[in-house]
Structure formats: C-alpha cells, structure tokens
PDB file of all heavy atoms in Angstrom:
ATOM      1  N   ALA H   1     145.701 171.068  86.485  1.00 87.00           N
ATOM      2  CA  ALA H   1     146.886 171.678  85.872  1.00 87.00           C
ATOM      3  C   ALA H   1     147.592 170.695  84.937  1.00 87.00           C
ATOM      4  O   ALA H   1     147.969 171.058  83.813  1.00 87.00           O
ATOM      5  CB  ALA H   1     147.846 172.155  86.965  1.00 87.00           C
ATOM      6  N   ARG H   2     147.766 169.451  85.373  1.00 84.00           N
ATOM      7  CA  ARG H   2     148.410 168.435  84.516  1.00 84.00           C
ATOM      8  C   ARG H   2     147.597 168.221  83.241  1.00 84.00           C
ATOM      9  O   ARG H   2     148.152 168.056  82.160  1.00 84.00           O
ATOM     10  CB  ARG H   2     148.560 167.112  85.271  1.00 84.00           C
ATOM     11  CG  ARG H   2     149.710 167.082  86.244  1.00 84.00           C
ATOM     12  CD  ARG H   2     150.017 165.676  86.750  1.00 84.00           C
ATOM     13  NE  ARG H   2     148.867 164.901  87.162  1.00 84.00           N
ATOM     14  CZ  ARG H   2     148.350 164.891  88.380  1.00 84.00           C
ATOM     15  NH1 ARG H   2     148.882 165.628  89.322  1.00 84.00           N
ATOM     16  NH2 ARG H   2     147.307 164.145  88.658  1.00 84.00           N
ATOM     17  N   SER H   3     146.292 168.249  83.384  1.00 84.00           N
ATOM     18  CA  SER H   3     145.424 168.040  82.221  1.00 84.00           C
ATOM     19  C   SER H   3     145.505 169.222  81.255  1.00 84.00           C
ATOM     20  O   SER H   3     145.527 169.038  80.039  1.00 84.00           O
ATOM     21  CB  SER H   3     143.984 167.829  82.682  1.00 84.00           C
ATOM     22  OG  SER H   3     143.917 166.724  83.553  1.00 84.00           O
ATOM     23  N   LEU H   4     145.544 170.432  81.794  1.00 84.00           N
ATOM     24  CA  LEU H   4     145.630 171.618  80.940  1.00 84.00           C
ATOM     25  C   LEU H   4     146.947 171.660  80.159  1.00 84.00           C
ATOM     26  O   LEU H   4     146.977 172.129  79.024  1.00 84.00           O
ATOM     27  CB  LEU H   4     145.469 172.893  81.771  1.00 84.00           C
ATOM     28  CG  LEU H   4     144.057 173.216  82.227  1.00 84.00           C
ATOM     29  CD1 LEU H   4     144.055 174.425  83.159  1.00 84.00           C
ATOM     30  CD2 LEU H   4     143.140 173.467  81.036  1.00 84.00           C
ATOM     31  N   LYS H   5     147.999 171.172  80.762  1.00 83.00           N
ATOM     32  CA  LYS H   5     149.296 171.152  80.078  1.00 83.00           C
ATOM     33  C   LYS H   5     149.233 170.334  78.786  1.00 83.00           C
ATOM     34  O   LYS H   5     149.960 170.602  77.851  1.00 83.00           O
ATOM     35  CB  LYS H   5     150.382 170.592  80.993  1.00 83.00           C
ATOM     36  CG  LYS H   5     150.827 171.563  82.054  1.00 83.00           C
ATOM     37  CD  LYS H   5     151.920 170.945  82.908  1.00 83.00           C
ATOM     38  CE  LYS H   5     152.345 171.878  84.017  1.00 83.00           C
ATOM     39  NZ  LYS H   5     153.382 171.278  84.872  1.00 83.00           N
ATOM     40  N   GLU H   6     148.362 169.348  78.750  1.00 82.00           N
ATOM     41  CA  GLU H   6     148.253 168.497  77.563  1.00 82.00           C
ATOM     42  C   GLU H   6     147.633 169.224  76.376  1.00 82.00           C
ATOM     43  O   GLU H   6     147.818 168.807  75.241  1.00 82.00           O
ATOM     44  CB  GLU H   6     147.447 167.237  77.890  1.00 82.00           C
ATOM     45  CG  GLU H   6     148.167 166.301  78.837  1.00 82.00           C
ATOM     46  CD  GLU H   6     147.407 165.007  79.067  1.00 82.00           C
ATOM     47  OE1 GLU H   6     146.753 164.532  78.122  1.00 82.00           O
ATOM     48  OE2 GLU H   6     147.488 164.487  80.188  1.00 82.00           O
ATOM     49  N   VAL H   7     146.880 170.299  76.634  1.00 80.00           N
ATOM     50  CA  VAL H   7     146.201 171.002  75.541  1.00 80.00           C
ATOM     51  C   VAL H   7     146.613 172.470  75.477  1.00 80.00           C
ATOM     52  O   VAL H   7     145.933 173.276  74.827  1.00 80.00           O
ATOM     53  CB  VAL H   7     144.664 170.872  75.675  1.00 80.00           C
ATOM     54  CG1 VAL H   7     144.219 169.441  75.509  1.00 80.00           C
ATOM     55  CG2 VAL H   7     144.176 171.442  76.997  1.00 80.00           C
ATOM     56  N   ARG H   8     147.689 172.850  76.070  1.00 76.00           N
ATOM     57  CA  ARG H   8     148.038 174.267  76.199  1.00 76.00           C
ATOM     58  C   ARG H   8     148.371 174.982  74.890  1.00 76.00           C
ATOM     59  O   ARG H   8     148.395 176.194  74.833  1.00 76.00           O
ATOM     60  CB  ARG H   8     149.173 174.447  77.205  1.00 76.00           C
ATOM     61  CG  ARG H   8     150.481 173.902  76.783  1.00 76.00           C
ATOM     62  CD  ARG H   8     151.518 174.207  77.820  1.00 76.00           C
ATOM     63  NE  ARG H   8     152.638 173.300  77.658  1.00 76.00           N
ATOM     64  CZ  ARG H   8     153.414 172.931  78.623  1.00 76.00           C
ATOM     65  NH1 ARG H   8     153.223 173.387  79.833  1.00 76.00           N
ATOM     66  NH2 ARG H   8     154.412 172.109  78.405  1.00 76.00           N
ATOM     67  N   GLU H   9     148.613 174.254  73.817  1.00 79.00           N
ATOM     68  CA  GLU H   9     148.937 174.914  72.549  1.00 79.00           C
ATOM     69  C   GLU H   9     147.703 175.402  71.792  1.00 79.00           C
ATOM     70  O   GLU H   9     147.811 176.046  70.761  1.00 79.00           O
ATOM     71  CB  GLU H   9     149.785 173.988  71.657  1.00 79.00           C
ATOM     72  CG  GLU H   9     149.073 172.761  71.140  1.00 79.00           C
ATOM     73  CD  GLU H   9     149.043 171.581  72.119  1.00 79.00           C
ATOM     74  OE1 GLU H   9     149.683 171.646  73.183  1.00 79.00           O
ATOM     75  OE2 GLU H   9     148.355 170.607  71.801  1.00 79.00           O
ATOM     76  N   HIS H  10     146.535 175.124  72.289  1.00 79.00           N
ATOM     77  CA  HIS H  10     145.303 175.541  71.621  1.00 79.00           C
ATOM     78  C   HIS H  10     144.907 176.960  72.055  1.00 79.00           C
ATOM     79  O   HIS H  10     145.224 177.400  73.154  1.00 79.00           O
ATOM     80  CB  HIS H  10     144.183 174.534  71.903  1.00 79.00           C
ATOM     81  CG  HIS H  10     144.535 173.171  71.410  1.00 79.00           C
ATOM     82  ND1 HIS H  10     144.416 172.804  70.104  1.00 79.00           N
ATOM     83  CD2 HIS H  10     145.067 172.090  72.047  1.00 79.00           C
ATOM     84  CE1 HIS H  10     144.837 171.553  69.945  1.00 79.00           C
ATOM     85  NE2 HIS H  10     145.236 171.109  71.111  1.00 79.00           N
ATOM     86  N   LYS H  11     144.208 177.644  71.184  1.00 82.00           N
ATOM     87  CA  LYS H  11     143.875 179.057  71.413  1.00 82.00           C
ATOM     88  C   LYS H  11     142.779 179.268  72.447  1.00 82.00           C
ATOM     89  O   LYS H  11     142.772 180.258  73.162  1.00 82.00           O
ATOM     90  CB  LYS H  11     143.465 179.724  70.089  1.00 82.00           C
ATOM     91  CG  LYS H  11     144.595 179.843  69.108  1.00 82.00           C
ATOM     92  CD  LYS H  11     145.610 180.827  69.615  1.00 82.00           C
ATOM     93  CE  LYS H  11     146.768 180.926  68.631  1.00 82.00           C
ATOM     94  NZ  LYS H  11     147.970 181.411  69.245  1.00 82.00           N
ATOM     95  N   GLU H  12     141.851 178.338  72.518  1.00 88.00           N
ATOM     96  CA  GLU H  12     140.733 178.513  73.436  1.00 88.00           C
ATOM     97  C   GLU H  12     140.451 177.185  74.133  1.00 88.00           C
ATOM     98  O   GLU H  12     140.305 176.157  73.482  1.00 88.00           O
ATOM     99  CB  GLU H  12     139.486 178.974  72.686  1.00 88.00           C
ATOM    100  CG  GLU H  12     138.339 179.287  73.609  1.00 88.00           C
ATOM    101  CD  GLU H  12     137.141 179.834  72.854  1.00 88.00           C
ATOM    102  OE1 GLU H  12     137.268 180.903  72.246  1.00 88.00           O
ATOM    103  OE2 GLU H  12     136.108 179.143  72.870  1.00 88.00           O
ATOM    104  N   ILE H  13     140.402 177.249  75.437  1.00 88.00           N
ATOM    105  CA  ILE H  13     140.171 176.038  76.235  1.00 88.00           C
ATOM    106  C   ILE H  13     138.993 176.289  77.169  1.00 88.00           C
ATOM    107  O   ILE H  13     138.938 177.310  77.855  1.00 88.00           O
ATOM    108  CB  ILE H  13     141.423 175.663  77.051  1.00 88.00           C
ATOM    109  CG1 ILE H  13     142.580 175.326  76.113  1.00 88.00           C
ATOM    110  CG2 ILE H  13     141.124 174.495  77.980  1.00 88.00           C
ATOM    111  CD1 ILE H  13     143.899 175.101  76.821  1.00 88.00           C
ATOM    112  N   GLN H  14     138.092 175.334  77.180  1.00 92.00           N
ATOM    113  CA  GLN H  14     136.955 175.391  78.101  1.00 92.00           C
ATOM    114  C   GLN H  14     137.158 174.290  79.136  1.00 92.00           C
ATOM    115  O   GLN H  14     137.347 173.124  78.791  1.00 92.00           O
ATOM    116  CB  GLN H  14     135.649 175.167  77.353  1.00 92.00           C
ATOM    117  CG  GLN H  14     135.356 176.246  76.344  1.00 92.00           C
ATOM    118  CD  GLN H  14     134.092 175.958  75.548  1.00 92.00           C
ATOM    119  OE1 GLN H  14     133.593 174.838  75.501  1.00 92.00           O
ATOM    120  NE2 GLN H  14     133.566 176.994  74.917  1.00 92.00           N
ATOM    121  N   LEU H  15     137.133 174.684  80.387  1.00 91.00           N
ATOM    122  CA  LEU H  15     137.341 173.759  81.502  1.00 91.00           C
ATOM    123  C   LEU H  15     136.027 173.611  82.254  1.00 91.00           C
ATOM    124  O   LEU H  15     135.447 174.595  82.709  1.00 91.00           O
ATOM    125  CB  LEU H  15     138.430 174.299  82.433  1.00 91.00           C
ATOM    126  CG  LEU H  15     138.659 173.561  83.745  1.00 91.00           C
ATOM    127  CD1 LEU H  15     139.151 172.136  83.481  1.00 91.00           C
ATOM    128  CD2 LEU H  15     139.643 174.316  84.615  1.00 91.00           C
ATOM    129  N   PHE H  16     135.572 172.372  82.377  1.00 94.00           N
ATOM    130  CA  PHE H  16     134.336 172.071  83.099  1.00 94.00           C
ATOM    131  C   PHE H  16     134.689 171.315  84.375  1.00 94.00           C
ATOM    132  O   PHE H  16     135.428 170.325  84.331  1.00 94.00           O
ATOM    133  CB  PHE H  16     133.400 171.219  82.233  1.00 94.00           C
ATOM    134  CG  PHE H  16     132.961 171.906  80.979  1.00 94.00           C
ATOM    135  CD1 PHE H  16     133.706 171.794  79.813  1.00 94.00           C
ATOM    136  CD2 PHE H  16     131.803 172.672  80.971  1.00 94.00           C
ATOM    137  CE1 PHE H  16     133.305 172.434  78.656  1.00 94.00           C
ATOM    138  CE2 PHE H  16     131.400 173.312  79.817  1.00 94.00           C
ATOM    139  CZ  PHE H  16     132.152 173.207  78.649  1.00 94.00           C
ATOM    140  N   VAL H  17     134.152 171.790  85.497  1.00 92.00           N
ATOM    141  CA  VAL H  17     134.379 171.134  86.792  1.00 92.00           C
ATOM    142  C   VAL H  17     133.040 171.023  87.518  1.00 92.00           C
ATOM    143  O   VAL H  17     132.067 171.670  87.137  1.00 92.00           O
ATOM    144  CB  VAL H  17     135.396 171.918  87.659  1.00 92.00           C
ATOM    145  CG1 VAL H  17     136.770 171.942  87.012  1.00 92.00           C
ATOM    146  CG2 VAL H  17     134.920 173.321  87.953  1.00 92.00           C
ATOM    147  N   SER H  18     133.040 170.234  88.571  1.00 91.00           N
ATOM    148  CA  SER H  18     131.798 170.104  89.344  1.00 91.00           C
ATOM    149  C   SER H  18     131.521 171.415  90.086  1.00 91.00           C
ATOM    150  O   SER H  18     132.452 172.177  90.380  1.00 91.00           O
ATOM    151  CB  SER H  18     131.911 168.953  90.346  1.00 91.00           C
ATOM    152  OG  SER H  18     132.719 169.339  91.436  1.00 91.00           O
ATOM    153  N   PRO H  19     130.268 171.678  90.391  1.00 94.00           N
ATOM    154  CA  PRO H  19     129.943 172.904  91.135  1.00 94.00           C
ATOM    155  C   PRO H  19     130.685 173.004  92.471  1.00 94.00           C
ATOM    156  O   PRO H  19     131.011 174.111  92.916  1.00 94.00           O
ATOM    157  CB  PRO H  19     128.428 172.794  91.353  1.00 94.00           C
ATOM    158  CG  PRO H  19     127.947 171.938  90.213  1.00 94.00           C
ATOM    159  CD  PRO H  19     129.059 170.949  89.974  1.00 94.00           C
ATOM    160  N   LYS H  20     130.995 171.869  93.086  1.00 91.00           N
ATOM    161  CA  LYS H  20     131.695 171.885  94.372  1.00 91.00           C
ATOM    162  C   LYS H  20     133.127 172.400  94.237  1.00 91.00           C
ATOM    163  O   LYS H  20     133.683 172.936  95.188  1.00 91.00           O
ATOM    164  CB  LYS H  20     131.710 170.485  94.991  1.00 91.00           C
ATOM    165  CG  LYS H  20     130.361 170.035  95.477  1.00 91.00           C
ATOM    166  CD  LYS H  20     130.443 168.665  96.107  1.00 91.00           C
ATOM    167  CE  LYS H  20     129.069 168.220  96.597  1.00 91.00           C
ATOM    168  NZ  LYS H  20     129.105 166.896  97.208  1.00 91.00           N
ATOM    169  N   LYS H  21     133.735 172.211  93.076  1.00 90.00           N
ATOM    170  CA  LYS H  21     135.120 172.645  92.877  1.00 90.00           C
ATOM    171  C   LYS H  21     135.217 173.955  92.090  1.00 90.00           C
ATOM    172  O   LYS H  21     136.290 174.528  91.966  1.00 90.00           O
ATOM    173  CB  LYS H  21     135.908 171.553  92.122  1.00 90.00           C
ATOM    174  CG  LYS H  21     136.076 170.261  92.890  1.00 90.00           C
ATOM    175  CD  LYS H  21     136.974 170.459  94.082  1.00 90.00           C
ATOM    176  CE  LYS H  21     137.227 169.140  94.787  1.00 90.00           C
ATOM    177  NZ  LYS H  21     137.982 169.298  96.010  1.00 90.00           N
ATOM    178  N   TYR H  22     134.103 174.407  91.573  1.00 93.00           N
ATOM    179  CA  TYR H  22     134.101 175.579  90.696  1.00 93.00           C
ATOM    180  C   TYR H  22     134.742 176.809  91.354  1.00 93.00           C
ATOM    181  O   TYR H  22     135.642 177.434  90.784  1.00 93.00           O
ATOM    182  CB  TYR H  22     132.673 175.890  90.237  1.00 93.00           C
ATOM    183  CG  TYR H  22     132.593 177.114  89.367  1.00 93.00           C
ATOM    184  CD1 TYR H  22     132.990 177.062  88.040  1.00 93.00           C
ATOM    185  CD2 TYR H  22     132.117 178.324  89.876  1.00 93.00           C
ATOM    186  CE1 TYR H  22     132.928 178.198  87.231  1.00 93.00           C
ATOM    187  CE2 TYR H  22     132.056 179.453  89.080  1.00 93.00           C
ATOM    188  CZ  TYR H  22     132.464 179.381  87.756  1.00 93.00           C
ATOM    189  OH  TYR H  22     132.415 180.502  86.966  1.00 93.00           O
ATOM    190  N   ALA H  23     134.304 177.180  92.534  1.00 93.00           N
ATOM    191  CA  ALA H  23     134.814 178.392  93.196  1.00 93.00           C
ATOM    192  C   ALA H  23     136.322 178.276  93.440  1.00 93.00           C
ATOM    193  O   ALA H  23     137.068 179.242  93.199  1.00 93.00           O
ATOM    194  CB  ALA H  23     134.070 178.635  94.507  1.00 93.00           C
ATOM    195  N   TYR H  24     136.747 177.144  93.904  1.00 91.00           N
ATOM    196  CA  TYR H  24     138.181 176.964  94.179  1.00 91.00           C
ATOM    197  C   TYR H  24     139.008 177.089  92.900  1.00 91.00           C
ATOM    198  O   TYR H  24     140.042 177.754  92.877  1.00 91.00           O
ATOM    199  CB  TYR H  24     138.434 175.609  94.860  1.00 91.00           C
ATOM    200  CG  TYR H  24     139.888 175.419  95.210  1.00 91.00           C
ATOM    201  CD1 TYR H  24     140.430 176.037  96.325  1.00 91.00           C
ATOM    202  CD2 TYR H  24     140.723 174.645  94.411  1.00 91.00           C
ATOM    203  CE1 TYR H  24     141.765 175.895  96.647  1.00 91.00           C
ATOM    204  CE2 TYR H  24     142.058 174.489  94.717  1.00 91.00           C
ATOM    205  CZ  TYR H  24     142.584 175.111  95.831  1.00 91.00           C
ATOM    206  OH  TYR H  24     143.914 174.973  96.137  1.00 91.00           O
ATOM    207  N   VAL H  25     138.556 176.456  91.819  1.00 91.00           N
ATOM    208  CA  VAL H  25     139.289 176.515  90.559  1.00 91.00           C
ATOM    209  C   VAL H  25     139.317 177.958  90.044  1.00 91.00           C
ATOM    210  O   VAL H  25     140.356 178.438  89.565  1.00 91.00           O
ATOM    211  CB  VAL H  25     138.685 175.543  89.515  1.00 91.00           C
ATOM    212  CG1 VAL H  25     139.303 175.739  88.141  1.00 91.00           C
ATOM    213  CG2 VAL H  25     138.877 174.093  89.966  1.00 91.00           C
TER     214      VAL H  25
END
C-alpha cells in the first residue's frame, strides 16, 4: 500500500508479487 501511494497518479499500474502472496493481495 505504501508503495502504491507513490505512483497513484498514473492511469495504469501493474503490481507484481510472489506467488506465495498473490492470493492474499
């Protein structure tokens, strides 16, 4: 969430996480 706040003004954001955290995110 803190990281996303840094780029929130952009129109499209792609977030990559490890497979272990994917479902939770």
